[in-house]
Amino acid sequence: MKTQIIQLEEHDDTLSVRDKMDWSQTPRMLLVWPEKGKVLRARLDLILLERYCSSHGSQLALLTSDKEVIFQAGEAGIPVFQSRSEAQLQAWGKSFREFRRQELEKYAAENLPGVPLEREVPLPRKKYPLWARIPIFSLGVLSVLALAAFLLPSAEINLRLQGRQHSLSIPIQAQPGRNQITLSGFVPVRELMIMVEGQLSTPTTGSTLIPAEYAAGEVVFTNLGEEGFYIPEGTILSTTGDKPVLFRTITGGSTPSEQGGEITLKVEAYLPGVSGNIPANQINKINLEVGAELTVTNPAPTEGGTDIQIPAPTLVDRLKLARDMDQLLEDMAWEKINQELGFEDILLTDRLDDFKVISEEYAPEENGPGEFLWLDKEVQYLVHYISSDDLHKLAHDLVLAQYQDNSYIPDLNSIQLQPTPSSEKSGKQNFHREIQVSWIDVQTVSREEIIDWISAKSAGEAARILQKKLDLGEDPQIILQPRWWPRIPSLPFRIQINQGES
């Protein structure tokens, strides 16, 4: 016979064991005591478990080596085994209380024939004649069918509402310094700073002379005293006048020690170029402490100083390069402005007149030679615009103000802005612009209203009602389940409404 084995834990009590018994559906239950721990050693606990097991139509037996439990089980008439195989192979005897109950029933039947036993006796069922049972059965079947017809049918209604197109012309006045947006059309003027830099070059068209060779010649020193003087190499000499020309001795020597003694030394111009070519008797100044005791002059002109001609930028080159650079930076600025501004932002600045030069450097500098003229320039431009976020907020508020009832609602996501081609400037900083706002609205109708219109109607009649009451872009789609069912269900929860826009 099939046996349910229930392993007990050290913490189990009668309630937890009964919970484990509830899962059993076998005719026999074997409780296995844990090797350690002392549980369910009271006779009352064992009797309660045996009674609970009997109420479920099962026999109870124990598997334990606990002597106290074995003793109490024996007193309660509950079989005890020492191994699982023994419990499964041997027959389980009836408990002591079962034998006792049978003895009491037998004693009562023999000695107390006039006292009926208090047992539950099932009441006899009332039997109806066939002619009555058939109508009752038929009525039950019809009730079930009526309930099924009321609950089982379902309907799915797919509606494509037709949106209405609207447009509105809004005059806009943008004011710098304003932060609030009003329904009268006032919006703030936003500022955008753009920083651009560039480098350009152009070939030079002019030329300039630069010094090349040094002029050279001879000078004569005359001693005005009676003592000789040494004139070192590198002694600086010059002409007189507002723009003296400098020379230096390239040899050294001493004057004779007598008044009027002379010495001739070679000199060279201090700077290269034709400026060193001077006439005779022009060098007459000595840069020495003993200059008062000596005189100097050049008996012959100095010669050999030359200049060479090389390319150099002209003023026209600079002006042209500056003009090309300004155009380049403006083009770069417009490109950057278009990248920074959104598609629906309105640019109010039409000319880049508001700018600041951050740096400007020519190479070579003015009057300097060079085959190319280079220009590095960085400029900051300031432009004004109307933000699309401000325009959409204004359009959002104005569109909502057009609707006073709830029969139609605007689709705010459908709002589109179309500005006029140009703006007008009034005063010094105010800008006037006009934008065209377009949007779509749709009819609003609740699910409850639709169900109230079509409940219990045929599919054709429901479609005609929906076409009459709603602005539909296409015929309504009505799907009935089962498909042969002729009408829309009466129960609202059996009707599914799907609304969309066309």
Side-chain angles (χ1 to χ4, degrees):
M1 186 177 294
K2 191 172 182 181
T3 303
Q4 176 70 37
I5 299 175
I6 300 175
Q7 179 68 49
L8 301 184
E9 305 294 337
E10 297 180 8
H11 53 76
D12 276 333
D13 55 11
T14 54
L15 293 178
S16 61
V17 176
R18 287 173 62 176
D19 290 339
K20 296 179 181 180
M21 288 179 172
D22 288 338
W23 293 95
S24 175
Q25 297 181 354
T26 58
R28 301 197 305 185
M29 296 186 195
L30 178 64
L31 299 184
V32 180
W33 255 248
E35 294 183 0
K36 296 182 180 181
K38 299 178 180 180
V39 295
L40 302 177
R41 308 186 78 191
R43 184 186 305 178
L44 178 60
D45 293 338
L46 299 178
I47 293 174
L48 291 176
L49 292 177
E50 196 278 334
R51 183 179 298 172
Y52 186 77
C53 191
S54 297
S55 67
H56 285 68
S58 301
Q59 287 184 282
L60 178 67
L62 311 181
L63 175 56
T64 180
S65 58
D66 190 329
K67 295 182 179 180
E68 180 65 23
V69 176
I70 295 174
F71 173 77
Q72 299 297 343
E75 292 295 319
I78 302 173
V80 179
F81 299 95
Q82 298 300 317
S83 66
R84 296 190 182 188
S85 59
E86 180 185 358
Q88 291 179 342
L89 295 176
Q90 292 186 10
W92 294 7
K94 293 184 178 181
S95 66
F96 173 80
R97 290 193 310 283
E98 181 65 19
F99 283 115
R100 182 61 178 166
R101 183 181 62 78
Q102 293 179 359
E103 290 178 0
L104 291 175
E105 289 180 354
K106 182 178 180 181
Y107 176 80
E110 293 177 352
N111 300 305
L112 303 172
V115 180
L117 294 176
E118 294 184 0
R119 284 190 177 183
E120 279 193 27
V121 180
L123 296 176
R125 294 182 179 178
K126 184 177 181 180
K127 294 185 178 180
Y128 294 93
L130 182 61
W131 60 269
R133 282 184 286 169
I134 292 177
I136 294 174
F137 175 77
S138 301
L139 182 61
V141 172
L142 291 176
S143 300
V144 172
L145 292 177
L147 184 61
F150 189 70
L151 295 177
L152 292 181
S154 64
E156 181 181 350
I157 314 297
N158 296 318
L159 303 175
R160 304 288 292 181
L161 297 177
Q162 178 73 42
R164 302 187 306 176
Q165 187 76 34
H166 298 272
S167 64
L168 179 66
S169 181
I170 303 177
I172 301 297
Q173 184 171 350
Q175 293 181 335
R178 172 182 286 273
N179 295 322
Q180 300 297 324
I181 302 172
T182 64
L183 292 178
S184 57
F186 286 95
V187 295
V189 172
R190 307 295 182 181
E191 293 184 348
L192 177 64
M193 292 285 188
I194 298 295
M195 190 82 70
V196 292
E197 59 181 337
Q199 184 184 67
L200 276 182
S201 67
T202 184
T204 57
T205 59
S207 63
T208 187
L209 294 174
I210 63 171
E213 301 293 335
Y214 290 86
E218 292 182 345
V219 295
V220 176
F221 290 89
T222 301
N223 187 359
L224 300 180
E226 295 181 354
E227 294 182 3
F229 295 98
Y230 178 74
I231 302 170
E233 179 184 349
T235 300
I236 301 300
L237 310 175
S238 68
T239 62
T240 58
D242 296 334
K243 294 182 179 179
V245 180
L246 301 181
F247 290 83
R248 60 186 173 186
T249 59
I250 57 176
T251 59
S254 299
T255 62
S257 301
E258 59 182 12
Q259 187 177 8
E262 295 180 350
I263 185 172
T264 301
L265 298 178
K266 294 184 178 298
V267 293
E268 182 183 66
Y270 194 79
L271 296 175
V274 297
S275 62
N277 297 332
I278 61 173
N281 302 317
Q282 296 295 313
I283 304 175
N284 46 32
K285 188 176 181 179
I286 304 173
N287 188 16
L288 280 175
E289 294 182 358
V290 295
E293 302 295 332
L294 293 173
T295 62
V296 66
T297 187
N298 58 314
T302 58
E303 299 175 343
T306 62
D307 291 339
I308 60 173
Q309 192 173 35
I310 63 173
T314 64
L315 178 60
V316 174
D317 295 335
R318 290 180 178 273
L319 293 177
K320 180 180 179 300
L321 184 59
R323 185 170 58 253
D324 293 343
M325 174 61 77
D326 291 341
Q327 186 61 51
L328 172 65
L329 294 181
E330 285 191 11
D331 293 342
M332 294 172 61
W334 283 121
E335 182 179 357
K336 203 168 184 179
I337 289 169
N338 292 329
Q339 293 175 354
E340 292 287 339
L341 296 183
F343 174 71
E344 293 182 333
D345 292 332
I346 298 178
L347 183 63
L348 302 175
T349 302
D350 54 0
R351 297 181 59 184
L352 297 177
D353 295 333
D354 193 349
F355 65 90
K356 178 182 178 181
V357 178
I358 305 301
S359 64
E360 183 178 33
E361 183 178 354
Y362 286 94
E365 298 180 354
E366 190 173 0
N367 299 325
E371 295 182 358
F372 286 89
L373 177 63
W374 291 86
L375 174 58
D376 292 287
K377 192 172 184 179
E378 183 178 10
V379 179
Q380 176 182 306
Y381 293 95
L382 174 65
V383 296
H384 298 87
Y385 71 100
I386 302 175
S387 170
S388 61
D389 293 338
D390 296 338
L391 293 176
H392 271 281
K393 185 178 187 307
L394 175 61
H396 179 280
D397 295 341
L398 287 174
V399 168
L400 288 180
Q402 308 300 313
Y403 295 86
Q404 303 299 327
D405 55 23
N406 295 325
S407 58
Y408 285 84
I409 59 172
D411 181 4
L412 299 178
N413 292 326
S414 69
I415 293 178
Q416 294 184 349
L417 306 178
Q418 183 65 40
T420 55
S422 62
S423 61
E424 299 179 0
K425 190 172 183 181
S426 64
K428 193 172 181 180
Q429 293 182 318
N430 293 346
F431 296 87
H432 289 274
R433 199 73 180 259
E434 191 171 286
I435 62 171
Q436 197 76 15
V437 180
S438 61
W439 74 95
I440 296 174
D441 65 6
V442 292
Q443 187 178 6
T444 59
V445 59
S446 66
R447 177 179 179 276
E448 290 74 18
E449 287 181 281
I450 297 175
I451 292 176
D452 185 58
W453 294 340
I454 64 175
S455 178
K457 303 291 192 301
S458 65
E461 184 179 1
R464 288 191 294 272
I465 292 173
L466 294 174
Q467 289 174 338
K468 181 179 179 181
K469 292 183 175 291
L470 299 176
D471 295 333
L472 298 178
E474 57 187 53
D475 293 338
Q477 184 181 16
I478 301 177
I479 303 174
L480 294 174
Q481 293 292 342
R483 294 188 178 275
W484 49 264
W485 195 260
R487 292 186 175 274
I488 306 294
S490 300
L491 295 178
F493 68 87
R494 300 297 297 169
I495 302 175
Q496 180 180 348
I497 307 295
N498 301 322
Q499 297 188 46
E501 297 179 15
S502 60

